[in-house]
């Protein structure tokens, strides 16, 4: 059977199965379990209406259980076994992780990323959103700033490899150093600071995302509040920090936490630029070192990453709900 025919049959069976499930389940609910007839017709209708939403939620819950909940518990269970998966070692993999200096370095670097990237991207996005709204060609500027969002992390890393190139005729940093008579260096091998050189790539990509969201939030501020502040003699800086920022604080927090979640999962940039060498190791790249030779250790790292991401995701969901309210 050709792949095209397989795809068509999969779509037909999937769509047909969903339609058949919803039609059959509602038919059984209304005609068999709680029929709308007899002396209890009113009570049956109310009961059916209470159950009906769960009929629509059931496929989504089943899919989430199969593809999200089960892998989480399965990964944790696998992390309790040794490299071959035959010997139960309880929390031995976790103990080995925290005793490994390379893991502690990766964990420290991850916290550096979490502290720097969301703050820088959100600040620059907010600054650009405010400044471009005051320009006649602001939409063109926004398009140029948003453009890196269309580039994959690997593609962006390759672009920035030219920026950080050791050859002064290619790399911008070494071109500047050569102009002032300094010897060329490899920025990606400068201990500690090379992490920030990698972070700049993600900031460059995510600033456009923050700009778009925060620009929409700024435009949603009622003009009356700004006009009242101007009449009271407030300066543009006071209006920005005391009028605009408090009103979009919920959006700023959502943008911040969204970028934070992305940072905790970033892998492509480090793997493409340095491969985790020269002290740039982070948790996802550290996990990749063990993925194909020690499943127990790799799944333990994956579970640690999940535990770090989980509070941020919960906070993000709560903030999004508050923003909607």
């Amino acid at each position: 059977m050709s792949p095209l025919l397989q795809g068509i049959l999969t779509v037909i069976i999937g769509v047909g199965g969903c339609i058949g499930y919803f039609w059959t389940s509602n038919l059984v609910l209304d005609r068999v379990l709680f029929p709308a007839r007899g002396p209890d017709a009113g009570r049956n209708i109310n009961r059916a209406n209470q159950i009906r939403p769960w009929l629509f939620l059931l496929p989504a819950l089943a899919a989430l259980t199969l593809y999200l909940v089960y892998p989480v518990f399965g990964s944790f269970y696998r992390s309790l076994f040794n490299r071959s998966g035959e010997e139960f070692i309880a929390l031995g993999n976790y103990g080995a992780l925290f005793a490994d200096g390379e893991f502690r370095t990766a964990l420290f670097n991850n916290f550096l990323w979490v502290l720097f990237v969301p703050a820088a991207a959100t600040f620059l996005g907010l600054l650009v959103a405010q400044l471009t709204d005051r320009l006649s060609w602001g939409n063109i500027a926004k398009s140029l700033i948003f453009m890196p969002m269309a580039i994959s992390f690997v593609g962006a890393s390759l672009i920035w490899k030219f920026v950080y190139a050791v050859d002064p005729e290619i790399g911008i940093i070494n071109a500047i150093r050569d102009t002032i008579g300094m010897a060329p260096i490899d920025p990606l091998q400068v201990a500690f600071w090379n992490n920030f050189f990698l972070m700049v790539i993600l900031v460059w990509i995510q600033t456009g995302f923050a700009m778009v969201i925060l620009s929409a939030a700024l435009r949603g501020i009622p003009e009356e509040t700004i006009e009242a502040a101007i009449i009271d003699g407030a300066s543009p800086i006071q209006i920005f920090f005391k009028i605009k920022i408090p009103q979009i604080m919920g959006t700023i927090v959502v943008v911040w936490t969204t970028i934070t979640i992305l940072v905790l999962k970033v892998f492509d940039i480090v793997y493409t630029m340095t491969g985790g060498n020269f002290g740039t190791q982070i948790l996802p790249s550290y996990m990749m070192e063990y993925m194909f030779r020690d499943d127990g250790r790799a799944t333990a790292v994956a579970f640690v990453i999940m535990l770090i991401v989980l509070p941020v995701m919960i906070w993000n969901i709560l903030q999004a709900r508050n923003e909607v309210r």
Side-chain angles (χ1 to χ4, degrees):
M1 185 181 297
S2 67
L4 177 61
L5 184 59
Q6 289 180 358
I8 294 174
L9 288 177
T10 301
V11 172
I12 293 175
I13 294 173
V15 174
C18 290
I19 295 174
Y21 160 75
F22 290 124
W23 182 81
T24 304
S25 60
N26 280 276
L27 184 66
V28 171
L29 183 68
D30 294 329
R31 299 289 181 85
V32 179
L33 298 179
F34 302 105
R37 59 178 180 268
D40 295 328
R43 183 188 301 175
N44 286 346
I45 291 174
N46 290 332
R47 288 177 177 176
N49 289 335
Q50 290 175 353
I51 296 175
R52 200 180 313 279
W54 293 101
L55 295 178
F56 291 92
L57 287 174
L58 185 60
L61 292 176
L64 285 174
T65 302
L66 180 62
Y67 294 107
L68 182 62
V69 178
Y70 172 72
V72 168
F73 286 99
S75 297
F76 177 70
Y77 180 74
R78 178 64 185 86
S79 70
L80 303 179
F81 287 81
N82 67 347
R83 177 177 179 175
S84 63
E86 299 175 353
E87 180 184 352
F88 180 77
I89 58 174
L91 300 178
N93 283 317
Y94 295 93
L97 283 181
F98 288 97
D100 186 0
E102 191 175 0
F103 173 80
R104 294 196 297 270
T105 298
L107 190 61
F108 174 74
N109 289 339
N110 256 111
F111 281 115
L112 283 181
W113 281 71
V114 168
L115 291 174
F116 178 76
V117 174
T122 305
F123 172 76
L124 292 175
L126 180 60
L127 185 64
V128 171
Q130 173 65 18
L131 295 178
T132 52
D133 281 341
R134 306 170 70 92
L135 299 174
S136 58
W137 47 277
N139 289 333
I140 298 176
K142 286 181 180 179
S143 299
L144 293 174
I145 295 170
F146 186 76
M147 197 174 295
M149 282 288 296
I151 306 174
S152 68
F153 284 1
V154 174
S157 300
L158 294 176
I159 292 172
W160 280 83
K161 269 201 170 185
F162 289 105
V163 176
Y164 296 147
V166 178
D167 188 348
E169 295 184 1
I170 300 176
I172 296 176
I173 293 178
N174 283 304
I176 297 173
R177 291 176 61 89
D178 184 67
T179 302
I180 60 179
M182 299 180 67
I185 62 169
D186 186 352
L188 300 180
Q189 295 189 30
V190 180
F192 181 74
W193 297 106
N194 51 5
N195 289 288
F196 290 93
F197 288 125
L198 298 181
M199 295 177 205
V200 167
I201 302 173
L202 189 55
V203 172
W204 179 64
I205 296 173
Q206 290 299 308
T207 295
F209 162 75
M211 174 200 66
V212 170
I213 304 299
L214 296 174
S215 179
L218 287 172
R219 292 187 177 184
I221 297 175
E223 289 291 334
E224 295 80 2
T225 59
I226 299 175
E227 293 174 357
I230 294 174
I231 293 174
D232 290 339
S235 66
I237 294 178
Q238 289 175 324
I239 292 174
F240 180 71
F241 285 103
K242 295 186 178 181
I243 303 298
K244 292 184 176 182
I245 294 296
Q247 294 191 64
I248 65 169
M249 185 55 68
T251 305
I252 292 175
V253 172
V254 170
V255 170
W256 187 302
T257 52
T258 301
I259 298 176
T260 300
I261 293 172
L262 175 67
V263 168
L264 289 170
K265 299 184 293 182
V266 72
F267 162 75
D268 317 58
I269 295 174
V270 174
Y271 190 79
T272 303
M273 296 293 285
T274 65
N277 298 312
F278 317 120
T280 60
Q281 192 80 280
I282 56 175
L283 291 179
S285 61
Y286 178 83
M287 180 182 67
M288 280 296 296
E289 289 188 358
Y290 294 93
M291 184 159 296
F292 302 105
R293 57 190 180 91
D294 190 342
D295 287 345
R297 180 76 67 90
T299 50
V301 178
F303 203 76
V304 170
I305 296 173
M306 191 203 74
L307 291 178
I308 296 174
V309 173
L310 191 61
V312 182
M313 291 183 63
I314 294 174
W315 173 257
N316 192 24
I317 293 171
L318 294 176
Q319 291 300 318
R321 287 182 177 178
N322 294 333
E323 184 71 12
V324 170
R325 292 173 183 173

